Amino acid sequence: MLGLAVPSAGAQDATRGKAVYEACIVCHELDPKSTGQGPTLIGVIGRRSGALDDFRYSRAIVRANIVWDESTLDAYLADPQSYIVGMRMPFGGIPDKAERADLIAYLKTLR
C-alpha cells in the first residue's frame, strides 16, 4: 500500500493561491514598476497600507496605517469594505478561509 502525502488541515498552498490570485490580476499586476487600477502586490507582505509613492491611494487606506501581514490580510480579504471603511477598491472579499490562506501563501512568494 502506498502512503500518500496529504496536506494537513489549514495548510497554506501557494500553488492554489496563485489560482485564487487570477481574480486579483485584473487590477493588481505582477510588475513592481506597474500600477494598474490597483497597486502592485509584489512585496505587499510587510508593507504599510498606502505606502507606494507611485500609486494614488484612497484617504481611507492611507489613514488605516496597516502593516500587511497574514493576520491583517486575512481580515481584509474576508470583508474589505468593512475592514477599511471608505476605501475605493470594488471587491467583495473572499469568504472561504482556505482560499484566503492559499492566496496569502502566494502573496508571500512575491518579492
Side-chain angles (χ1 to χ4, degrees), residues 7-8 10-22 98-99 102-103 106:
S8 63
Q12 297 177 347
D13 185 323
T15 302
R16 285 193 309 250
K18 184 176 183 181
V20 176
Y21 186 81
E22 291 300 312
E99 285 185 5
D102 292 342
L103 175 57
Y106 177 65

Side-chain angles (χ1 to χ4, degrees), residues 11-80:
Q12 297 177 347
D13 185 323
T15 302
R16 285 193 309 250
K18 184 176 183 181
V20 176
Y21 186 81
E22 291 300 312
C24 308
I25 197 87
V26 173
C27 298
H28 297 279
E29 298 179 28
L30 290 181
D31 178 349
K33 295 185 184 338
S34 176
T35 55
Q37 253 185 311
T40 183
L41 295 181
I42 300 281
V44 70
I45 303 291
R47 186 166 69 211
R48 190 164 301 285
S49 63
L52 293 179
D53 291 335
D54 59 349
F55 188 78
R56 197 178 122 238
Y57 294 93
S58 67
R59 287 183 186 146
I61 203 144
V62 173
R63 278 193 311 254
N65 199 32
I66 297 164
V67 175
W68 297 117
D69 61 20
E70 289 183 41
S71 176
T72 57
L73 279 168
D74 183 58
Y76 176 77
L77 292 169
D79 188 357

